[in-house]
């Protein structure tokens, strides 16, 4: 039952960027990383294995999951830049611009974007670069055993502590830097290795209403910590702990209703496209609204709410035209 929550996390990023809710999206990104650590370890252990052939299948399946939709999002941005121009796009989001130079162009083409401030056809692509790095490391066996995963987790904890003890800039080293993602990825991997023990500990609390209650605590923590100015320090890591517990509950929720399962999958299918295209769609909505005489204001709830239906429309189009055919191919790879 991760699909709907993945879409909720994607919309948390939308409300950070378009509505200007500080910290809301940052909370979601680390939860995405934790979930990826769990799921990638799960499929390596359960579906592919660590033999050469299994690793090759895993790598190809990950590539098919990430790149086709990313390329589609890039093409949407290219069309947008051609139609309305770089001045209009960068007025809404500073780095939605044409790539500059060979290195920046290659980083956009390969999705190896290590500078979140550089020109990008998909502005939030830096987080996908982090995901790809850890997908590769997990495929190579970083989370293959409990011992390795504990060592990885320990390194992530030490890195995080070092950021605060040495007064390094948190944004640069605690959030955007790939090393900062070791903590959530390793936590997710540990959740896989101890899933049975976690299931027994949660017991009868593995229910959707408990998950909803925990998400209420996520929202309450976000609101409280930002009113008190600790949203990107203790509040950030309290949120991470709450979300780990929420993900643990969702891991063990048993749902028999096929309609609910189908709905959850459809919501999950939308999460990645929404994450990829939300800035570009927002820019288009902002521009077209102005042309029609309806002025929107950046970083407001109205801007986000007007843009969301168009994100869902574009997202569903990419799911139907790209994701579903590619998913059929990925399923065939798993079976062969």
């Amino acid at each position: 039952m991760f699909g709907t929550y993945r879409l909720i996390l994607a919309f948390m990023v939308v409300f950070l960027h378009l509505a200007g809710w500080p910290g809301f999206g940052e909370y979601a990104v680390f939860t995405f990383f934790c979930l990826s650590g769990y799921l990638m370890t799960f499929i390596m252990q359960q579906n592919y294995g660590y033999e050469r052939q299994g690793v090759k299948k895993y790598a190809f399946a990950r590539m098919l999951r990430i790149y086709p939709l990313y390329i589609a999002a890039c093409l949407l941005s290219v069309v947008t830049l051609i139609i309305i121009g770089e001045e209009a796009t960068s007025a809404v989001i500073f780095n939605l611009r044409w790539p500059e130079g060979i290195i920046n162009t290659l980083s956009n083409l390969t999705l190896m974007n290590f500078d979140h401030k550089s020109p990008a056809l998909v502005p939030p692509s830096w987080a996908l670069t982090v995901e790809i790095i850890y997908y590769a490391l997990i495929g190579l066996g970083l989370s293959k055993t409990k011992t390795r995963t504990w060592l990885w987790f320990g390194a992530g904890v030490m890195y995080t502590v070092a950021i605060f003890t040495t007064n390094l800039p948190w944004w640069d080293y605690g959030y955007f830097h790939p090393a900062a993602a070791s903590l959530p990825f390793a936590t997710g991997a540990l959740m896989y290795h101890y899933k049975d023990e976690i299931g027994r500990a949660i017991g009868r609390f593995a229910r959707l209403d408990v998950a909803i209650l925990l998400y209420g605590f996520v929202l309450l923590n976000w609101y409280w910590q930002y009113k008190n100015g600790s949203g990107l320090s203790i509040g950030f890591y309290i949120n991470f702990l709450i979300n780990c517990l929420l993900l643990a509950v969702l891991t063990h929720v048993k749902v028999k209703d096929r309609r609910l399962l189908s709905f959850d999958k459809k919501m999950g299918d939308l999460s990645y496209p929404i994450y990829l295209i939300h800035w570009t769609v927002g820019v288009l909505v902002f521009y077209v609204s102005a042309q029609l005489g309806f002025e929107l204001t950046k970083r407001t709830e109205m801007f986000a709410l007007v843009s969301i239906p168009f994100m869902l429309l574009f997202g569903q189009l990419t799911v139907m035209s790209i994701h579903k055919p590619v998913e059929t191919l990925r399923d065939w790879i798993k079976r062969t």
Side-chain angles (χ1 to χ4, degrees):
M1 289 298 296
F2 291 133
T4 303
Y5 196 48
R6 284 166 47 215
L7 183 59
I8 290 171
L9 294 172
F11 277 123
M12 288 175 69
V13 176
V14 170
F15 272 84
L16 163 69
H17 290 156
L18 271 62
W21 289 11
F24 208 49
E26 289 91 339
Y27 283 15
V29 167
F30 261 46
T31 306
F32 269 128
F33 289 163
C34 181
L35 179 56
S36 291
Y38 174 86
L39 291 175
M40 295 307 103
T41 303
F42 180 95
I43 64 174
M44 281 304 298
Q45 299 272 348
Q46 302 289 333
N47 297 347
Y48 295 106
Y50 295 92
E51 299 297 327
R52 175 177 292 186
Q53 189 64 21
V55 173
K56 287 171 62 176
K57 286 184 178 181
Y58 165 79
F60 191 48
R62 287 298 90 204
M63 182 183 71
L64 288 174
R65 172 68 176 129
I66 295 169
Y67 282 98
L69 288 172
Y70 172 73
I71 292 169
C74 287
L75 290 175
L76 177 62
S77 293
V78 166
V79 172
T80 301
L81 284 162
I82 291 172
I83 293 174
I84 70 175
E86 189 177 78
E87 184 177 349
T89 62
S90 59
V92 180
I93 168 62
F94 71 96
N95 66 333
L96 182 48
R97 310 197 310 270
W98 292 111
E100 297 176 354
I102 295 175
I103 293 177
N104 184 229
T105 300
L106 288 174
S107 74
N108 274 269
L109 291 174
T110 61
L111 197 41
M112 286 289 105
N113 180 15
F114 292 95
D115 181 4
H116 68 278
K117 297 178 181 178
S118 64
L121 295 173
V122 179
S125 60
W126 70 270
L128 301 177
T129 299
V130 174
E131 293 262 3
I132 290 170
I133 290 169
Y134 286 99
Y135 287 176
L137 291 173
I138 289 172
L140 293 172
L142 183 58
S143 61
K144 183 177 181 179
T145 66
K146 289 181 180 179
T147 300
R148 290 185 193 179
T149 308
W150 274 114
L151 289 172
W152 178 21
F153 175 79
V157 170
M158 288 189 291
Y159 175 84
T160 303
V161 171
I163 292 168
F164 291 98
T165 56
T166 58
N167 293 316
L168 288 170
W170 186 85
W171 279 111
D172 292 331
Y173 293 94
Y175 183 67
F176 288 113
H177 199 288
S182 265
L183 179 61
F185 266 95
T187 302
L190 281 175
M191 289 171 64
Y192 167 78
H193 284 297
Y194 291 93
K195 64 183 186 303
D196 294 336
E197 293 86 344
I198 291 171
R200 287 192 292 270
I202 293 174
R204 60 189 180 89
F205 293 104
R207 306 193 311 267
L208 285 179
D209 59 332
V210 174
I212 293 169
L213 177 64
L214 286 170
Y215 186 68
F217 282 115
V218 168
L219 297 176
L220 181 63
N221 172 69
W222 169 75
Y223 180 77
W224 177 258
Q225 298 295 344
Y226 267 87
K227 283 189 69 72
N228 287 279
S230 55
L232 293 178
S233 54
I234 187 171
F236 184 86
Y237 295 101
I238 290 174
N239 165 79
F240 177 63
L241 291 173
I242 298 171
N243 265 304
C244 286
L245 183 56
L246 195 163
L247 292 176
V249 170
L250 289 176
T251 301
H252 295 280
V253 168
K254 305 296 183 185
V255 177
K256 297 181 180 179
D257 189 327
R258 292 185 178 180
R259 291 173 298 179
L260 183 57
L261 289 171
S262 175
F263 174 82
D264 184 65
K265 185 180 186 309
K266 289 177 180 177
M267 296 302 99
D269 288 345
L270 280 169
S271 62
Y272 183 43
I274 293 294
Y275 179 82
L276 288 171
I277 66 174
H278 71 273
W279 263 128
T280 307
V281 172
V283 166
L284 285 169
V285 169
F286 194 87
Y287 177 82
V288 172
S289 297
Q291 299 303 306
L292 295 174
F294 180 60
E295 295 286 343
L296 291 169
T297 302
K298 293 187 297 182
R299 299 181 70 79
T300 61
E301 287 82 3
M302 180 59 71
F303 180 28
L305 292 173
V306 172
S307 300
I308 284 173
F310 297 96
M311 293 178 201
L312 291 170
L313 174 61
F314 276 96
Q316 188 59 39
L317 287 173
T318 59
V319 167
M320 297 300 296
S321 62
I322 301 172
H323 173 71
K324 286 189 178 297
V326 171
E327 188 175 42
T328 301
L329 177 57
R330 289 173 59 221
D331 290 341
W332 177 79
I333 292 170
K334 289 179 186 178
R335 293 193 302 269
T336 57

